Amino acid sequence: MAIEFTKYHGLGNDFILIDNRSSEKPILTPEQAVKWCDRHFGIGADGVIFALPGQNGTDYTMRIFNSDGSEPEMCGNGIRCLAAFLSDLEGMSRTKNYYRIHTLAGVITPQLAVDGVKVDMGLPRLLAGEIPTTLAPADAKVINQPLEVAGKTWDVTCVSMGNPHCITFVEDVAAISLESIGPQFEHHPVFPQRTNTEFIEVVSRDYLKMRVWERGAGITLACGTGACASLVAGVLNDKCDRTATIELPGGPLEIQWSEVDQRIYMTGPAERVFTGKY
Ligand code: ZDP
């Protein structure tokens, strides 16, 4: 049976979107998602995202499989793509410019704006037990703490945006050999759920450069949850302001950690590329 899909990307972080509104369960298995994401033998993507019926009074539910078939709790660039996809699906019947989306990281609210999609990403979580990491006692934060990886000591800060992130500030992001170091962070025994890994170069207090090694997807051109987590890490280490531009290989994201409600707001693009049947 042929299944319809639409390809979207947010700053080159690309996803296959599937209209799964008529059933509670993703219509693909994780194994199928791995095949669809293959860039040589499939469609090619960093993940597959399913638009499912809402739960607990939300408009829709998002589920995502990484390109390795694992299921993350949240996906920042992906939820902007989902909002654009839902708006396209609803077409003229769309009644509002935001969606309340049920995710494994809680309710996330993307809002359609003229310059892209602005997402209320919720509260960052900072306790070691919430990340999760064994780098500190479960009720302590991990801020600028030494971690031994690849024979070197890195000073890391850990933040959860629903999914785990390990952030390191470096002099020069271009000099990091992500392909070799990334997997060693991802699979380090102090991260029982593995981790996404971000390297950050501070250009100024409102401009950071980031490169990312994603859990379950490897090097990607952008990571929305990673950009949010990195801004939080920057504020905790007094390296940046609460509002900053994060430049990723695929382009910039605007991130704000609100002083009013302590929530994280992310603004960035979401673009449809093509539709097809598989
Ligand atoms: O946590 C994980 O396993 C990530 N690979 C999920 C995807 C994160 C994403 N790149 C983002 O933008 O937040 C989609």
Side-chain angles (χ1 to χ4, degrees):
M1 190 189 78
I3 298 173
E4 280 186 32
F5 68 89
T6 308
K7 208 28 224 296
Y8 283 78
H9 78 92
L11 300 177
N13 192 194
D14 59 342
F15 303 98
I16 298 162
L17 276 287
I18 296 190
D19 180 0
N20 210 127
R21 291 176 298 170
S22 53
S23 69
E24 306 282 333
K25 220 177 118 232
I27 56 177
L28 297 187
T29 62
E31 295 72 33
Q32 286 173 311
V34 171
K35 287 191 181 147
W36 286 42
C37 286
D38 190 291
R39 296 196 184 278
H40 303 287
F41 296 94
I43 299 161
D46 293 325
V48 180
I49 293 175
F50 304 88
L52 301 142
Q55 292 174 38
N56 312 326
T58 56
D59 299 314
Y60 295 99
T61 297
M62 172 172 86
R63 287 187 61 187
I64 164 171
F65 294 145
N66 284 318
S67 53
D68 76 348
S70 60
E71 179 168 12
E73 302 79 357
M74 232 306 269
C75 174
N77 288 320
I79 205 155
R80 293 200 316 277
C81 293
L82 176 67
F85 179 55
L86 291 170
S87 171
D88 287 346
L89 284 178
E90 291 181 356
M92 297 298 279
S93 66
R94 180 159 70 81
T95 54
K96 52 185 191 178
N97 72 340
Y98 68 92
Y99 297 106
R100 294 184 68 247
I101 309 284
H102 177 87
T103 76
L104 293 175
V107 177
I108 308 287
T109 312
Q111 185 179 340
L112 305 163
V114 268
D115 52 346
V117 183
K118 179 174 181 178
V119 188
D120 173 354
M121 298 282 285
L123 301 169
R125 284 150 244 194
L126 302 178
L127 303 182
E130 301 174 301
I131 306 290
T133 176
T134 57
L135 258 173
D139 57 354
K141 297 174 185 169
V142 179
I143 301 173
N144 202 31
Q145 228 177 268
L147 174 66
E148 198 72 36
V149 181
K152 224 189 113 175
T153 303
W154 308 77
D155 293 321
V156 304
T157 298
C158 296
V159 177
S160 168
M161 289 304 305
N163 56 354
H165 294 272
C166 174
I167 298 106
T168 307
F169 293 90
V170 296
E171 285 295 311
D172 177 9
V173 275
I176 297 290
S177 34
L178 263 188
E179 318 76 74
S180 62
I181 293 171
Q184 299 187 53
F185 274 88
E186 179 183 356
H187 297 282
H188 198 292
V190 297
F191 301 112
Q193 305 286 331
R194 302 191 286 156
T195 192
N196 296 287
T197 305
E198 288 83 18
F199 296 94
I200 303 292
E201 178 180 329
V202 179
V203 177
S204 70
R205 287 194 65 90
D206 63 1
Y207 200 95
L208 310 178
K209 273 190 194 174
M210 165 178 151
R211 286 178 71 207
V212 57
W213 176 271
E214 275 189 40
R215 176 181 68 171
I219 294 177
T220 58
L221 294 178
C223 177
T225 50
C228 296
S230 297
L231 176 103
V232 170
V235 171
L236 295 173
N237 286 285
D238 193 24
K239 287 182 185 294
C240 71
D241 298 337
R242 293 180 73 109
T243 300
T245 302
I246 318 268
E247 182 194 305
L248 299 127
L253 285 174
E254 302 301 326
I255 313 290
Q256 181 197 8
W257 188 5
S258 167
E259 232 141 5
V260 179
D261 58 17
Q262 301 302 320
R263 302 172 81 84
I264 306 285
Y265 295 89
M266 169 192 68
T267 307
E271 311 217 358
R272 184 180 347 101
V273 191
F274 60 87
T275 57
K277 280 185 193 155
Y278 190 93

